[in-house]
Amino acid sequence: MKQAISINVNGADHAGEVEPRLLLVHYLRDVLGLTGTHIGCETSICGACTILLDGQAVKSCTMFAVQADGSNITTIEGLATNGNLHPMQEGFWECHGLQCGYCTPGMIIAATQIVDRNPNPSRDEIRHGLEGNLCRCTGYQHIVEAVEYAAAKKSGV
Amino acid sequence: MIPAEFNYARVSTLDEALTLLAQNEDAKILAGGHSLIPAMKFRLIQPPLLVDIGRIKDLSYIREEGGQIRVGAMTTHYQIEASDLLKEICPLLPECAGSIGDMQVRNKGTIGGSLAHSDPAGDWPAAILALNAELVAVSKNGERTIKAEDFFVDLLTTALEPGEILREIRINKPNGRTGHAYMKMHHPASGFAVVGIAANLSFNGNNKCKAANIGVTGVAAKAYRATGVESALTGVNLDDASIGAAAAHATDGADANGDLFASADYRRHLAEVYTKRAIAAAMKSVPSA
C-alpha cells in the first residue's frame, strides 16, 4: 500500500505517494530527477549515495523514502548557492579531488559533515571521517587535501 | 537491489508498536535499519510489516540515574561516540561507538537495533558483556531486565521473546580504579569486527587485578564472555607474562567461525593477540592514583 510522504529537498517541498520499499536514493534519482546522488555498491559500504538528512550524513541506499517523511534533505545539487560553489566543492576543484567523479558527490557531502563537526581536522581525522566513502580511482591524497582546503577556507585562514 | 513488498507503519508511542507486534507475529521493528534493510535487500528476510519506531520520543537518551548509566535503545552510535558525559563516566561506550562501521553508519545505526540484531561481528555485544549491562525489554505483559550474559543466545538470536522490544540499556557506573578498552580488527570493507575484544578491569591499589570482564565478538556465532581469561587475570599482578598467559584462554570453549576472510585458526590467533592488546590498553586507561 502506497504511503503519502512530504520531504523538503534542497529547500524545495515535494509531496507524493510512494511504495514503502522505495529506497530514498531511488526516490531522489527516479522520482525527483536529482541524479547527482549516485548508486554504487547498494550495500552501505561505498558511500556514493551519501546525503544529509536533517543535517546528518547518511547512506540513502540504506533507508526507505517513507522514513524520510517530514525531513529536510540536502543533496550535492543543494550545496552551491547563487551559482557559487560551496567551499568543499571549490576544494575538490582546486585540489583535483576527483578523477572519474563517481564517488565525488558522496565524498563532498560526507566531507562537509566532517568539517561541520570539526572545523580544523587533521589528516588522520579526515581519513577516519571518510572511511565510509570509497574512491576506486584511489585518489585519496587529493581528496584529503581538498577537505583541508575547504576547512581552511571556511575558517577564513 | 529492491526488497520484497511490505506494509509500513510508523508509530509514535511504544504502546502502539507493542500492539502491532502482538497482532502481527512476523512483523519486524525498524530502528536505524542498518542491519534490517540490507538483509531485506538481499531478500534474506521478507517481513510483511515494518513497524518504524524511529519517531518515538524518549527512546533516544543518555542519562545517569540511580548510580546507573541509562541509554535509550534508539540512541545512535554517533550520539554515544560524541557524549561528553559518557567520555567522563564510561569511556568504553564512546570508544566502542567510534569504531563501528563508518561515520554515515554511526549517524543512523542505533545501539538497541544492533543489540537486538545480535550480529556475530557486531561491536556492541562485546562492550555490553564487558560492562555487565542489563537490557530492559518491554512487551504487552510488562517489563523485564535481562543480563547481558543471558541476552545473546545464538547466531542472530537473542533472549527477546516475540512481542518484546528492547527499550533501554543499563550499566552500573564504573567506580574505583577501573580501566576499559575496546580493540578490534576491522574488516576493511564493512568495518565489522573480524575480532573485537572489550576489556573492563578493576584494580586494587597496585597493579593487582581485582576483577576482569572480557567480552569477545566476531569469533563465534554469538558474542561471549571469555571466562577463562577473566579467572586467569583475577587476583594477579598484571605484567606481560601474566597477560599473555591469560589471553591464551580467549577462545576456550568457543566454536570459532571460519569464512573467506579469516579461517577459524586465524580468528583464534587474532582473539589471543587482541585480548592482550585490549588488556594492556585497559591498564593504560586507569587514572593515576
Side-chain angles (χ1 to χ4, degrees):
Chain A
M1 196 168 56
K2 287 197 168 184
Q3 302 261 332
I5 60 168
S6 148
I7 301 180
N8 183 291
V9 182
N10 301 328
D13 289 323
H14 299 273
E17 292 203 330
V18 298
E19 264 195 276
R21 64 173 168 168
L22 182 71
L23 296 168
L24 181 57
V25 69
H26 290 138
Y27 176 76
L28 294 171
R29 290 175 55 86
D30 302 342
V31 179
L32 301 187
L34 294 169
T35 52
T37 302
H38 290 168
I39 299 174
C41 71
E42 295 193 73
T43 53
S44 352
I45 288 173
C46 81
C49 65
T50 301
I51 53 122
L52 294 177
L53 174 80
D54 294 326
Q56 305 280 305
V58 299
K59 294 179 177 180
S60 60
C61 79
T62 308
M63 199 178 155
F64 297 115
V66 283
Q67 289 175 273
D69 181 28
S71 299
N72 291 302
I73 286 174
T74 304
T75 68
I76 188 70
E77 289 94 339
L79 284 187
T81 44
N82 302 322
N84 297 313
L85 292 181
H86 183 281
M88 194 60 71
Q89 292 173 304
E90 192 182 310
F92 275 66
W93 175 285
E94 291 294 336
C95 301
H96 193 59
L98 60 145
Q99 290 181 49
C100 84
Y102 201 88
C103 71
T104 310
M107 282 284 180
I108 288 178
I109 295 279
T112 62
Q113 175 106 88
I114 295 169
V115 175
D116 279 349
R117 288 180 179 171
N118 178 0
N120 186 23
S122 68
R123 291 193 161 196
D124 278 350
E125 286 166 339
I126 294 168
R127 287 178 182 274
H128 179 57
L130 289 174
E131 276 168 359
N133 295 78
L134 302 182
C135 166
R136 291 301 77 182
C137 307
T138 69
Y140 292 108
Q141 189 54 41
H142 290 309
I143 291 170
V144 171
E145 285 164 12
V147 180
E148 286 183 311
Y149 176 101
K153 169 126 186 174
K154 257 190 99 181
S155 40
V157 179
Chain B
M1 277 183 285
I2 314 287
E5 285 185 16
F6 59 88
N7 287 317
Y8 170 87
R10 182 189 305 133
V11 295
S12 46
T13 67
L14 209 43
D15 203 48
E16 269 180 81
L18 293 171
T19 302
L20 285 172
L21 268 193
Q23 290 166 351
N24 301 274
E25 202 183 331
D26 295 324
K28 293 292 272 182
I29 295 289
L30 175 60
H34 273 49
S35 298
L36 180 61
I37 295 174
M40 290 174 66
K41 287 164 75 176
F42 283 120
R43 303 213 178 188
L44 297 171
I45 50 167
Q46 303 189 9
L49 171 67
L50 288 193
V51 180
D52 185 353
I53 60 170
R55 305 286 173 96
I56 297 181
K57 290 197 181 92
D58 307 327
L59 270 185
S60 170
Y61 53 84
I62 298 166
R63 57 178 177 242
E64 247 186 293
E65 204 177 307
Q68 286 186 318
I69 298 152
R70 300 193 171 179
V71 181
M74 284 298 289
T75 309
T76 64
H77 310 316
Y78 174 69
Q79 287 171 315
I80 295 171
E81 177 188 6
S83 163
D84 288 333
L85 175 70
L86 290 178
K87 283 179 200 165
E88 191 188 317
I89 62 175
C90 190
L92 181 59
L93 290 176
E95 184 183 347
C96 181
S99 79
I100 294 172
D102 54 54
M103 181 178 75
Q104 293 95 313
V105 169
R106 294 192 292 274
N107 279 342
K108 196 82 180 78
T110 64
I111 184 170
S114 168
L115 290 169
H117 180 62
S118 187
D119 193 292
D123 295 286
W124 280 127
I128 290 309
L129 284 165
L131 289 167
N132 274 324
E134 286 180 341
L135 298 105
V136 181
V138 57
S139 74
K140 278 290 190 189
N141 302 323
E143 233 178 52
R144 66 180 179 125
T145 57
I146 306 166
K147 286 182 180 168
E149 59 188 332
D150 299 327
F151 187 76
F152 306 103
V153 174
D154 203 346
L155 181 73
L156 305 178
T157 308
T158 69
L160 290 171
E161 298 284 345
E164 276 188 326
I165 295 178
L166 177 58
R167 185 177 72 75
E168 185 177 81
I169 295 95
R170 295 180 179 169
I171 294 158
N172 287 329
K173 201 176 145 185
N175 56 32
R177 293 191 69 221
T178 60
H180 319 87
Y182 181 61
M183 287 280 166
K184 75 187 263 199
M185 185 189 192
H186 290 251
H187 187 288
S190 69
F192 272 103
V194 179
V195 163
I197 311 287
N200 172 22
L201 309 176
S202 61
F203 293 91
N204 291 324
N206 46 28
N207 264 356
K208 190 174 266 188
C209 177
K210 195 159 68 173
N213 291 296
I214 309 290
V216 179
T217 190
V219 172
K222 60 163 185 153
Y224 64 90
R225 285 259 304 268
T227 50
V229 180
E230 294 172 357
S231 52
L233 292 172
T234 306
V236 170
N237 277 315
L238 298 193
D239 55 24
D240 284 354
S242 59
I243 293 171
H249 296 287
T251 56
D252 282 3
D255 188 6
N257 290 328
D259 57 28
L260 279 175
F261 189 74
S263 67
D265 275 348
Y266 182 49
R267 273 203 168 76
R268 279 191 285 268
H269 171 73
L270 286 175
E272 185 175 339
V273 170
Y274 278 79
T275 297
K276 277 189 234 176
R277 291 180 186 175
I279 295 168
M283 284 178 70
K284 269 193 193 154
S285 79
V286 178
S288 44

